[in-house]
């Protein structure tokens, strides 16, 4: 039953979100569905560091529930790679993707991603994505272009019209 629910979630939520991101909208419906089913769920507790600045990390992530903090410009080496931005921290909310550069070998992160609340993520592994990308060579330059943007512009968001399907509320538990 749980597997059937996960399959439905990928068909009704992940695949449409991918369809509304510039990088994946050029992929046909059948291939986009296959890609959506390649995402695997992981759960994180608040305060868990998902991606450390300056390190290579496998794959990309889509937030399913919860909130993550996207911190950039924290280290001197990361500051050299950044253009100026208004802030040093962004939130990554349900329906948004982070770390597309992780789909490419050798990409080192100029930012840090930390769970702000309990988070459910959908992880797209580099190893799963490589055969998909080999059949679509145009996608590699598109990912390179996206991952060379200033760090604060590397959170991929679906268009605003689709966010109705994502629960973007944050619930904090009070300590008693």
């Amino acid at each position: 039953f749980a597997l059937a629910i996960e399959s439905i979630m990928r068909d009704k939520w992940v695949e449409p979100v991918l369809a509304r991101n510039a990088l994946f909208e050029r992929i046909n419906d059948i291939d986009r569905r296959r890609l959506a089913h390649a995402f695997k769920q992981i759960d994180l507790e608040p305060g868990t560091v998902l991606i450390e600045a300056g390190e290579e990390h496998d794959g990309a992530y889509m937030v399913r529930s919860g909130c993550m903090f996207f911190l950039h410009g924290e280290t001197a080496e990361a500051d050299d790679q950044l253009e100026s931005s208004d802030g040093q921290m962004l939130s990554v909310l349900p329906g948004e993707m982070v770390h597309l550069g992780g789909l490419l070998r050798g990409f080192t992160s100029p930012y840090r991603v930390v769970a702000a609340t309990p988070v459910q993520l959908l992880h797209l592994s580099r190893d799963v994505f490589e055969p998909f990308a080999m059949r679509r060579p145009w996608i590699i330059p598109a990912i390179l272009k996206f991952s060379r943007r200033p760090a604060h512009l590397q959170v991929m968001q679906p268009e605003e019209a689709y966010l109705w399907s994502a629960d973007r509320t944050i619930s904090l538990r009070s300590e008693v």
Side-chain angles (χ1 to χ4, degrees):
F1 183 75
L3 292 175
I5 294 298
E6 287 294 315
S7 178
I8 291 169
M9 181 273 307
R10 283 175 177 78
D11 289 344
K12 300 297 181 192
W13 196 76
V14 177
E15 192 267 331
V17 169
L18 287 178
R20 286 161 176 82
N21 279 306
L23 187 65
F24 298 104
E25 70 184 357
R26 291 178 48 192
I27 299 168
N28 69 43
D29 293 341
I30 295 168
D31 290 338
R32 196 177 312 109
R33 175 179 264 177
R34 286 184 187 133
L35 187 61
H37 282 267
F39 281 81
K40 302 296 179 207
Q41 183 171 313
I42 59 172
D43 298 323
L44 298 178
E45 293 298 317
T48 304
V49 176
L50 176 66
I51 300 167
E52 191 61 66
E55 294 181 3
E56 183 177 353
H57 186 83
D58 169 50
Y61 296 89
M62 180 185 292
V63 178
R64 181 174 173 193
S65 67
C67 177
M68 310 244 353
F69 288 144
F70 182 90
L71 310 164
H72 57 90
E74 292 190 322
T75 65
E77 114 186 335
D79 283 337
D80 293 340
Q81 299 174 11
L82 296 175
E83 294 178 11
S84 63
S85 65
D86 293 333
Q88 298 296 306
M89 180 172 75
L90 299 168
S91 58
V92 184
L93 299 171
E96 296 177 343
M97 289 185 71
V98 67
H99 202 58
L100 286 176
L103 295 172
L104 306 174
R105 294 198 186 277
F107 177 80
T108 55
S109 171
Y111 46 76
R112 185 174 195 228
V113 181
V114 180
T117 64
V119 177
Q120 288 184 337
L121 297 169
L122 297 170
H123 175 235
L124 179 60
S125 165
R126 180 187 309 140
D127 293 333
V128 170
F129 185 75
E130 278 180 351
F132 182 84
M134 296 303 282
R135 292 187 307 274
R136 294 156 194 86
W138 60 265
I139 203 165
I140 303 299
I143 292 172
L144 276 172
K145 182 179 177 184
F146 187 85
S147 62
R148 288 181 177 152
R149 296 166 69 180
H152 66 284
L153 298 176
Q154 290 190 31
V155 175
M156 183 175 273
Q157 302 168 332
E159 65 185 37
E160 290 296 320
Y162 189 69
L163 293 179
W164 62 268
S165 68
D167 179 7
R168 296 172 67 89
T169 60
I170 300 171
S171 301
L172 299 175
R173 290 181 271 180
S174 60
E175 299 293 324
V176 180

